[in-house]
């Protein structure tokens, strides 16, 4: 969302300098901000609260744990 806001401001200033029209700059600004907002909403709906962090943690976990010693299992009940 912050990146979309920054890109919106940059696009507004570029339109303001090159085209010299406030209306076109404002329209471009709101289109970029709206796109960023709906992108963030879609990601929130898809992954839920803290979902993107959970997904990245799930991807970083090891798939197989290999132990060559039985000492890891001897102290499980303590």
């Amino acid at each position: 969302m912050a990146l979309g806001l920054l890109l919106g401001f940059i696009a507004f200033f570029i339109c303001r300098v090159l085209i010299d029209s406030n209306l076109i700059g404002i329209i471009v600004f709101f289109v970029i901000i709206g796109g960023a907002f709906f992108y963030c909403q879609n990601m929130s709906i898809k992954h839920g609260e803290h979902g993107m962090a959970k997904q990245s943690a799930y991807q970083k976990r090891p798939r197989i744990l290999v132990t060559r010693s039985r000492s890891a299992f001897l102290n499980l009940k303590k």
Side-chain angles (χ1 to χ4, degrees):
M1 189 68 191
L3 182 63
L5 187 63
L6 180 67
L7 289 176
F9 279 125
I10 290 172
F12 172 75
F13 288 124
I14 288 173
C15 287
R16 179 74 174 110
V17 170
L18 294 179
I19 301 172
D20 198 30
S21 173
N22 281 338
L23 182 62
I24 294 174
I26 291 172
I27 290 172
V28 169
F29 174 75
F30 281 117
V31 166
I32 291 174
I33 294 297
F37 176 76
F38 285 117
Y39 177 76
C40 288
Q41 284 293 105
N42 188 23
M43 294 298 280
S44 178
I45 290 169
K46 181 178 178 184
H47 297 292
E49 186 178 7
H50 309 296
M52 293 178 71
K54 289 178 185 176
Q55 182 183 19
S56 69
Y58 180 77
Q59 290 173 349
K60 291 178 184 177
R61 71 170 173 76
R63 293 183 183 201
I64 299 172
L65 292 175
V66 177
T67 179
R68 306 217 188 278
S69 170
R70 64 183 209 134
S71 67
F73 301 102
L74 291 176
N75 297 323
L76 285 178
K77 290 192 176 185
K78 291 182 182 178

